[in-house]
Amino acid sequence: MKTGIITTDTYLNHDTGQDHPERAERVTVVIEHLKKLKSKNLVWKKPTKFDLKYLQLAHDNNYLKSVNDSFPREGVHFLNGDTILSPGSKEATIDAVGSIITAIDGVMKKNFRNAFCAVRPPGHHAEKKKAMGFCVYNNVAVGAYYLLEKYCLSKVAIIDFDVHHGNGTQNIFYNNENVLYISTHQYPYYPGSGAANEKGIKDNVLNIPLAAGTRTHEFLNAYDRVFKKLKNFNPEFILLSAGFDAHKDDPLAQINLESNDYYTLTKRIMTLSKELCEEKLVSILEGGYNLKALQESVNYHVKSLME
Ligand SMILES: [Zn+2]
């Protein structure tokens, strides 16, 4: 079986300016490396257009309107201190969302077994009414709503292994029993949320805070709790908020994973997805800011997805 890689070159035109950690090269190094594999098990797809009503399920209409009015004709516009829009961001942000929609369609139609979306900007910090932490639209949240609405699923799980807590995804689904949100993240740390006692109105949120300095063994051990929660929820589909900034070389955080830990982690998630939901799984890129570490880590992640 095959793994879909969903990407397009419009991410290049989302220009965050000089010295911004969330820069175009992040996706470029990932794609270049995956292309070099020349694997017959990778199916390359571009994001398709999608009905904007799915964006409206995850975000408030006034927020969407204000973002839409903020794309500059030239130069840059700051949605906040670190979330920046350029003229090309309009297409890039929509294509990032479109990628997860395309990936989901491909898995549901069995064009490929699972998929990885190589996109930017990331999404998991974007709340229902607020852009935050380089994120404009919450890509993974739109994907979850798409599964609930278009495919009439009633149980979608999101596992977020980015080193930062996905405050946006938690905010959007905090009272939604159809979506289980699980996050492992450095804590206390940016964005401030993600304490263990934030459990969702329907007990549909599991936060596993990890201290700065956490190493492989402790990190992977934390996933025993993730898998227990996941089994109890019994999802029909698993989405991964795949950030690779828990790597030891990442400049934005202090968790100490090695590149090949993402192989082990993905393998364990895959094994469980086989047991629970016929392997239906889509992964989307969130953070990861050391280019070499990101390239290696994604390589291990996708290697595991392909097996
Ligand atoms: Zn992150």
Side-chain angles (χ1 to χ4, degrees):
M1 285 290 278
K2 294 174 188 301
T3 291
I5 301 291
I6 322 301
T7 194
T8 183
D9 54 10
T10 55
Y11 74 86
L12 290 165
N13 304 324
H14 172 54
D15 182 3
T16 47
Q18 266 205 327
D19 302 328
H20 196 289
E22 202 294 283
R23 57 197 194 273
E25 290 86 343
R26 296 179 58 241
V27 172
T28 304
V29 296
V30 162
I31 294 173
E32 278 178 356
H33 191 80
L34 293 175
K35 278 193 177 145
K36 268 191 214 149
L37 297 178
K38 292 193 165 72
S39 171
K40 284 180 191 141
N41 289 328
L42 290 181
V43 182
W44 293 79
K45 285 257 183 237
K46 288 189 174 182
T48 47
K49 294 262 179 289
F50 64 96
D51 191 329
L52 293 179
K53 75 179 182 187
Y54 297 111
L55 206 51
Q56 293 166 353
L57 292 169
H59 293 287
D60 178 77
N61 265 330
N62 288 330
Y63 171 68
L64 291 175
K65 190 174 179 310
S66 86
V67 168
N68 207 37
D69 293 343
S70 300
F71 293 110
R73 290 220 182 125
E74 54 186 70
V76 293
H77 175 88
F78 281 71
L79 284 175
N80 55 47
D82 55 19
T83 316
I84 298 166
L85 299 178
S86 65
S89 302
K90 187 167 186 164
E91 217 183 344
T93 51
I94 284 292
D95 278 345
V97 177
S99 295
I100 196 162
I101 301 263
T102 304
I104 288 168
D105 284 338
V107 169
M108 293 306 273
K109 290 174 188 161
K110 298 191 162 42
N111 294 334
F112 32 78
R113 180 176 56 166
N114 53 36
F116 176 72
C117 305
V119 301
R120 62 185 284 276
H124 74 153
H125 293 305
E127 299 189 350
K128 197 167 177 68
K129 301 180 183 180
K130 190 163 85 177
M132 210 171 137
F134 321 155
C135 304
V136 181
Y137 302 136
N138 193 314
N139 308 317
V140 82
V142 180
Y145 270 118
Y146 185 66
L147 283 163
L148 298 178
E149 294 293 317
K150 164 94 179 184
Y151 290 103
C152 301
L153 301 193
S154 57
K155 283 183 176 191
V156 176
I158 300 170
I159 303 175
D160 184 336
F161 57 78
D162 188 281
V163 81
H164 303 97
H165 180 241
N167 60 293
T169 315
Q170 172 171 299
N171 163 266
I172 291 167
F173 295 116
Y174 206 68
N175 59 0
N176 190 331
E177 62 194 330
N178 300 119
V179 178
L180 171 66
Y181 175 69
I182 302 177
S183 175
T184 52
H185 46 270
Q186 183 174 328
Y187 185 89
Y189 201 50
Y190 182 88
S193 54
N197 65 2
E198 295 164 26
K199 294 183 170 182
I201 303 291
K202 312 280 185 183
D203 197 28
N204 60 311
V205 170
L206 173 64
N207 282 308
I208 304 185
L210 301 167
T214 294
R215 292 178 183 277
T216 299
H217 180 69
E218 230 176 321
F219 186 94
L220 292 175
N221 272 352
Y223 273 79
D224 291 344
R225 284 182 60 208
V226 170
F227 296 145
K228 191 164 171 250
K229 183 83 177 171
L230 200 62
K231 274 186 189 172
N232 286 336
F233 181 72
N234 198 19
E236 298 163 282
F237 204 108
I238 296 173
L239 298 172
L240 302 181
S241 259
F244 298 89
D245 40 9
H247 193 284
K248 65 178 171 38
D249 295 335
D250 196 276
L252 295 198
Q254 293 80 39
I255 300 285
N256 294 311
L257 295 192
E258 309 282 339
S259 301
N260 62 4
D261 291 336
Y262 289 101
Y263 176 84
T264 312
L265 174 64
T266 310
K267 194 85 189 160
R268 288 178 65 186
I269 295 171
M270 295 280 293
T271 304
L272 206 61
S273 79
K274 200 177 250 180
E275 203 178 297
L276 297 175
C277 55
E278 297 152 341
E279 300 183 277
K280 290 202 280 293
L281 179 145
V282 164
S283 173
I284 186 161
L285 182 62
E286 299 282 2
Y289 303 97
N290 174 305
L291 296 181
K292 185 167 179 285
L294 176 63
Q295 186 185 52
E296 281 178 11
S297 302
V298 170
N299 184 42
Y300 278 116
H301 178 57
V302 172
K303 184 174 182 244
S304 178
L305 291 179
M306 279 195 289
E307 283 178 1

